[in-house]
Amino acid sequence: MGIRAVRAATEESFRILVASLKTILESCGERLGALAAWDDAPVLPALSRLSSDELEFLEAELQKASAPIEECQVRVQKLIPQEERKRFAAYYTVQQGIRFMASVAQEYLERFRRRDIVLADPFLGSGRTLTAAVEKVGAEVSRVWGVEPLPLPALVAYASLLKAVGGRRDVVAVLVGDAFEEVPFAGLPKADVILTNPPFTRWKYLEKGYRSYLLKVVSGLGYEKYITRKENSLQTLSMFLSDYVLKEGGLIASVLPASTFYTIYGEGYKSLLREKYRLLAVVGSTAKPSFSEDSGFKEVITVAVKDGDGDWGEPTAFIELEAEDDAERAAEIAMRTAGVAAGVKDRARPKTNFFDVRSLPRFLDINWLALFGEDELRDIVTSIFKQGLERGTLGYWSDVLGRSSIVRGVEMYGPEFFFIPNKYWRVVEEEDGFVVIRGGSGDGGREELSIGKEFLVRTLRKPSLYGRRIEADVDSYMLSVPPVGLDELPGDLREYIRWGVGSGTAKPAVNAYGKYWYSHVRRQMTTKKPFGQVFIPDKVDLLFRNRGVFANYTEREVAASKNFYIVRGVGGKIAKFLVAWFNSTIFISVLALLGRRISETWTRFLENDYLELPVVNVRAVSDEDLLEVVKKVDQILHRDLPPLWEQLGKEYRRELDVSVAEAIGVKEAEHMVRELHEILK
C-alpha cells in the first residue's frame, strides 16, 4: 500500500473513531474525560493514556464530526486490507440479509411474546445486523452483546448499539477478541436470539496450532460427536459455539456458505440441526449469490429454533429472495411453517418450497440446494427414483453393491515416472512377459529398457483420455515395485529407477516416502485392490464440452489413477448394465441436480455420496430388460460420441435412456426421456 493510501486510511480511521466517540457521548450525555473509566467498553480505556493536549484536540474534533454512526458501520469494513479480511474472515452482511434477519427476530418475539430479551452475535463485525434487530425489537431488549477481534469495528458496533438502546450502558457489552477464546469463559448471558455471520475462512488458511486449539475448545464444549473429520470448516465450529450460548427455545439466524449443505464438512452441523432444532427456513437470493460484501461464495441464511425435544413435524421453508423489499415477507413465511405440508409450494409465493429435512430421501439429503425453487429436473428425478425404489429395481448403492464395491484409484507421486508411457519414454514393443520402452534423457533419448510385466499394472490414466468412448482403450501402465532393495530388482528396472532419481521425475515420491519410495504404488495395489471394469471420473464439467460419456468400461479388469472411482466386484453383463446406468441421461441429471459444485460448471460426488445414491439393482431386473439394456450399450460401446448435449434427441441416446428407464419400471418411459432431454438442452 502506498504512502498516500496509508495516510488516507489513517485519516478515515480517525474520522470513524471520532464519530463513534461522539455517538457514545450523545447517547449517554457524558463528557469525553469520563469515557476513560469505562472499562467495559472496547478501546475507551485507552483514552486515559492521552495527554491533556491530546484530549483537547480530540474535543475539538468531536465538535466538527458529522458522519452518522450508521454510515461508519459501512465505512469501517472497507478499511480492512484484503489480507486482514482473509485472516479474520471479515465479510459483512449486505442490507438485504440484514433486513431479513432483523425481521425474523421481530416476528419471533411477537409470536412467542418474549420479554427481557438477550440479543447476541458472537461474530459481531460492525454490528449492523444486531443494531437493526435492536431497533425493530425496541425496549424489550434487556441485554445485547457481541465479540469482534478488530478494535475499531468493535468500537463502531458498541456506539451503534448504545445509541439503539437509548444510552443504557448496562444493556450493551462488546468484547474485543477471538470469540472462541471469549465466549466460553467470559460469563456472557445465554442468548434468546443470535443473529450472526460467522467466519468461513478455508480451514487450510488457519495456522496449524490455531486449528488444534479450535477443535479442543469445541470438543470441550460437548460437540465432539459432530466433528466428523480432522479437516473441518470454520463456519460449522462457529455454529457449535453459537449453539453453546443459545437458550433452549431460542432463535438463531445465520449467514452461511451454501457449501455447508452440500459438502462433507457440513454433515456434523446438519446432524446438530436435525437433533436439536426446528429448522424453519433456508433462504437464498436470486438478486445476488452472497449475503456478504465481497465474499464471492454462494451463501444462504438459516433460521432455526432450538427445540430438539419437541416432536415437530414442520417442514423447512426453502425461500428465494428476489428483491430488497422481499425480506419482511420472507421473514413472515419463515416463522409460519407450522401446519404446511412438506414437499409443497407456496402458491402465494412460487419461489418457496417446503421440505421436511428430517425425513428427506437419502439422495436428496446430499445437496440441500436442490430443494430451492421450481425445478422440473428435481421433480422428474425424484419421481424416477421413487418408482425404482418402490419396485426394488433401484436400491441405495451401499445396500445393493456393498460399501466396499467403490474405491478411489491409486494416488502416485510423480506421474511422469510411474506412468508408462510418459513424457520421456514410449512403448516400442510388448512381449509375453516384458514391455520394451525407449527414451530417457541421455543419448538423444534413444535408450531401450525391458520392464517385466510383474512390475507393471495396466491402468486408466486420466478421464480426458477416455471421454469420447464408453469402452476405454487402455494403453498405459503403472509401475508397481515391491518394497525390496534395488540390488534385488532386475537390471533394466534398476536403471529406470536411477533415471527417475536423476531426472527429477521421481522427486515427489522420494521426498514423501524415503527408502522404498518406488513401492508406494505397490502398497496401494495390495491394500486398496483398485481393479474393476466400470470407472467413474472423480469430477466432471457439467457442460460436457469435451466428453461424450461419463463412465468408462473395460472388457478385463484394470486399475485406475486417483482421478477415478472404481466399481469393484462386477463383471460381464452386470458391468455393462451398470455402465449404461452411469451413462444414462437419468444419472447425468442426478449429477446436474445433486453434485457438489466445485466451480461454476464443475461438479463431483465423493465416495460417501455415491453410497447414498440409488443404483440399478440388477437382481430385480428381468432377464429380458437386462439383455435389452446390454444390447443398446453394446451398439455404442466403441463409438466416438460427441459432447453429451449434442447427443440429446439422437436415436441412439434416446434408445439407451428408454431401455434403462423401462428396466427400472418407470411409467411412460418414452415421455419421461423426452422431458429429460428437453430440460437438459
Side-chain angles (χ1 to χ4, degrees):
M1 186 183 289
I3 293 174
R4 288 185 180 178
V6 171
R7 183 178 296 163
T10 303
E11 290 175 356
E12 174 74 339
S13 298
F14 180 72
R15 286 193 292 269
I16 291 171
L17 169 68
V18 171
S20 301
L21 293 175
K22 185 173 183 177
T23 301
I24 293 169
L25 293 172
E26 290 177 346
S27 299
C28 300
E30 294 278 7
R31 294 186 61 81
L32 182 61
L35 299 187
W38 289 19
D39 56 6
D40 60 344
V43 179
L44 297 184
L47 293 172
S48 63
R49 297 197 293 271
L50 298 181
S51 68
S52 57
D53 287 344
E54 287 169 330
L55 283 171
E56 188 176 326
F57 169 75
L58 200 51
E59 288 273 16
E61 292 297 314
L62 286 169
Q63 301 306 312
K64 295 187 287 185
S66 59
I69 194 65
E70 295 78 11
E71 185 182 309
C72 292
Q73 286 180 288
V74 176
R75 284 162 52 183
V76 74
Q77 62 198 51
K78 301 188 183 303
L79 287 173
I80 305 171
Q82 191 61 31
E83 284 305 309
E84 289 289 282
R85 277 198 163 201
K86 275 189 176 181
R87 181 182 165 201
F88 292 105
Y91 298 106
Y92 296 99
T93 311
V94 298
Q95 188 61 33
Q96 186 183 44
I98 290 169
R99 289 183 63 183
F100 171 73
M101 293 166 79
S103 298
V104 159
Q106 183 183 34
E107 287 281 335
Y108 167 77
L109 297 175
E110 285 179 359
R111 289 170 186 271
F112 290 92
R113 307 277 196 280
R114 293 287 184 106
R115 296 290 182 271
D116 298 325
I117 294 300
V118 177
L119 280 175
D121 184 353
F123 309 97
L124 183 61
S126 61
R128 292 180 72 202
T129 304
L130 217 50
T131 304
V134 170
E135 289 169 347
K136 276 187 175 287
V137 173
E140 292 173 357
V141 177
S142 65
R143 197 77 192 276
V144 55
W145 62 261
V147 183
E148 164 58 32
L150 299 172
L152 188 56
L155 180 64
V156 173
Y158 181 80
S160 62
L161 289 169
L162 197 61
K163 178 183 176 182
V165 300
R168 293 179 290 156
R169 272 187 59 198
D170 59 321
V171 172
V172 181
V174 173
L175 304 182
V176 180
D178 183 333
F180 290 93
E181 295 176 358
E182 300 291 344
V183 170
F185 315 113
L188 295 163
K190 293 268 186 175
D192 295 281
V193 175
I194 291 177
L195 307 176
T196 192
N197 187 341
F200 38 88
T201 302
R202 293 185 189 278
W203 192 249
K204 66 181 180 181
Y205 293 155
L206 302 175
E207 293 179 0
K208 186 176 180 181
Y210 186 59
R211 295 200 299 256
S212 299
Y213 171 78
L214 290 175
L215 294 175
K216 181 180 178 181
V217 168
V218 174
S219 296
L221 296 178
Y223 297 91
E224 188 171 13
K225 75 171 185 174
Y226 300 110
I227 300 174
T228 54
R229 295 173 65 88
K230 288 182 180 178
E231 185 174 344
N232 269 271
S233 65
L234 187 55
Q235 73 267 17
T236 58
L237 299 186
S238 299
M239 297 314 292
F240 298 149
L241 184 69
S242 297
D243 176 74
Y244 176 73
V245 288
L246 184 65
K247 289 179 184 176
E248 190 67 30
L251 173 87
I252 183 166
S254 177
V255 176
L256 290 169
S259 59
T260 307
F261 301 102
Y262 65 78
T263 64
I264 200 165
Y265 309 115
E267 289 301 318
Y269 183 53
K270 285 164 72 174
S271 297
L272 178 76
L273 283 173
R274 289 194 187 94
E275 291 176 21
K276 298 179 69 174
Y277 285 84
R278 296 160 57 199
L279 181 59
L280 302 180
V282 181
V283 181
S285 174
T286 58
K288 293 180 179 179
S290 300
F291 285 109
S292 302
E293 293 280 1
D294 305 322
S295 97
F297 294 99
K298 168 70 176 171
E299 294 173 351
V300 297
I301 298 175
T302 56
V303 181
V305 172
K306 192 171 180 178
D307 185 19
D309 295 332
D311 183 19
W312 57 280
E314 301 167 12
T316 298
F318 285 81
I319 305 169
E320 289 184 296
L321 301 182
E322 295 176 284
E324 192 87 6
D325 57 3
D326 220 14
E328 286 81 0
R329 171 70 177 132
E332 291 176 23
I333 294 170
M335 296 306 299
R336 67 156 175 79
T337 57
V340 179
V344 305
K345 294 177 172 60
D346 185 326
R347 293 183 180 178
R349 200 169 180 286
K351 291 284 186 179
T352 300
N353 300 329
F354 296 92
F355 290 91
D356 183 353
V357 297
R358 284 186 168 181
S359 58
L360 282 175
R362 281 161 61 179
F363 62 87
L364 278 181
D365 192 47
I366 291 172
N367 187 349
W368 286 7
L369 296 196
L371 307 178
F372 279 103
E374 295 185 58
D375 195 328
E376 294 176 273
L377 194 62
R378 179 190 63 222
D379 297 341
I380 292 176
V381 168
T382 301
S383 173
I384 292 169
F385 279 8
K386 282 183 176 177
Q387 291 180 63
L389 291 167
E390 286 171 5
R391 289 173 60 91
T393 50
L394 290 179
Y396 286 102
W397 185 311
S398 55
D399 301 330
V400 172
L401 297 174
R403 300 191 71 86
S404 63
S405 64
I406 184 169
V407 65
R408 187 81 178 270
V410 174
E411 181 173 13
M412 100 280 298
Y413 290 73
E416 296 302 343
F417 172 80
F418 285 97
F419 279 126
I420 296 175
N422 55 49
K423 182 179 178 181
Y424 303 97
W425 297 85
R426 67 186 187 279
V427 174
V428 293
E429 189 179 349
E430 291 199 35
E431 301 175 359
D432 285 345
F434 294 89
V435 171
V436 180
I437 61 176
R438 183 179 297 155
S441 49
D443 193 24
R446 292 196 297 271
E447 187 177 359
E448 215 168 79
L449 298 174
S450 293
I451 310 293
K453 286 189 175 178
E454 69 268 31
F455 304 110
L456 297 170
V457 177
R458 199 174 286 273
T459 185
L460 273 69
R461 181 165 181 167
K462 56 183 179 180
S464 60
L465 297 174
Y466 320 105
R468 290 304 181 99
R469 289 190 182 187
I470 294 176
E471 182 163 356
D473 181 14
V474 186
D475 57 2
S476 288
Y477 292 95
M478 199 180 294
L479 192 66
S480 175
V481 182
V484 298
L486 279 175
D487 57 348
E488 298 180 58
L489 298 174
D492 279 11
L493 179 56
R494 288 202 305 269
E495 195 62 34
Y496 183 77
I497 290 172
R498 290 192 188 101
W499 169 84
V501 175
S503 65
T505 56
K507 185 177 180 180
V510 175
N511 291 343
Y513 291 103
K515 183 177 179 181
Y516 294 120
W517 59 268
Y518 45 78
S519 301
H520 74 278
V521 169
R522 172 63 69 92
R523 284 193 288 271
Q524 291 178 75
M525 294 292 178
T526 305
T527 56
K528 279 187 171 183
K529 296 182 172 54
F531 302 98
Q533 291 179 250
V534 179
F535 305 86
I536 306 167
D538 167 51
K539 49 187 174 288
V540 69
D541 178 2
L542 283 175
L543 296 181
F544 278 82
R545 279 173 278 229
N546 299 306
R547 291 188 70 82
V549 302
F550 175 65
N552 291 109
Y553 166 84
T554 56
E555 190 174 344
R556 293 186 177 86
E557 283 196 347
V558 298
S561 73
K562 69 170 185 176
N563 300 312
F564 293 91
Y565 289 108
I566 303 159
V567 184
R568 298 189 297 194
V570 295
K573 292 183 176 64
I574 294 177
K576 284 187 176 179
F577 194 111
L578 277 177
V579 88
W581 165 250
F582 291 127
N583 281 303
S584 71
T585 306
I586 298 170
F587 187 80
I588 289 164
S589 298
V590 176
L591 278 179
L593 180 66
L594 301 176
R596 302 183 189 276
R597 294 299 176 95
I598 55 177
S599 75
E600 197 63 35
T601 63
W602 284 80
T603 189
R604 73 190 307 181
F605 283 129
L606 301 176
E607 198 170 314
N608 285 341
D609 295 331
Y610 281 113
L611 292 170
E612 296 301 311
L613 281 179
V615 68
V616 283
N617 182 2
V618 179
R619 289 169 296 187
V621 173
S622 70
D623 289 342
E624 182 182 352
D625 285 337
L626 172 64
L627 291 173
E628 183 64 19
V629 171
V630 170
K631 175 184 170 185
K632 297 304 180 189
V633 81
D634 273 340
Q635 289 173 358
I636 58 173
L637 207 59
H638 307 104
R639 181 172 180 168
D640 278 332
L641 296 169
L644 178 78
W645 312 120
E646 294 180 27
Q647 298 177 40
L648 297 175
K650 296 283 178 32
E651 190 65 16
Y652 61 85
R653 164 58 59 179
R654 187 193 64 78
E655 288 182 354
L656 175 69
D657 290 338
V658 170
S659 69
V660 170
E662 288 178 341
I664 295 169
V666 174
K667 295 175 183 176
E668 300 181 351
E670 291 251 12
H671 175 71
M672 181 278 299
V673 167
R674 276 199 303 272
E675 275 195 290
L676 272 186
H677 284 204
E678 285 302 315
I679 291 168
L680 289 176
K681 275 183 180 178

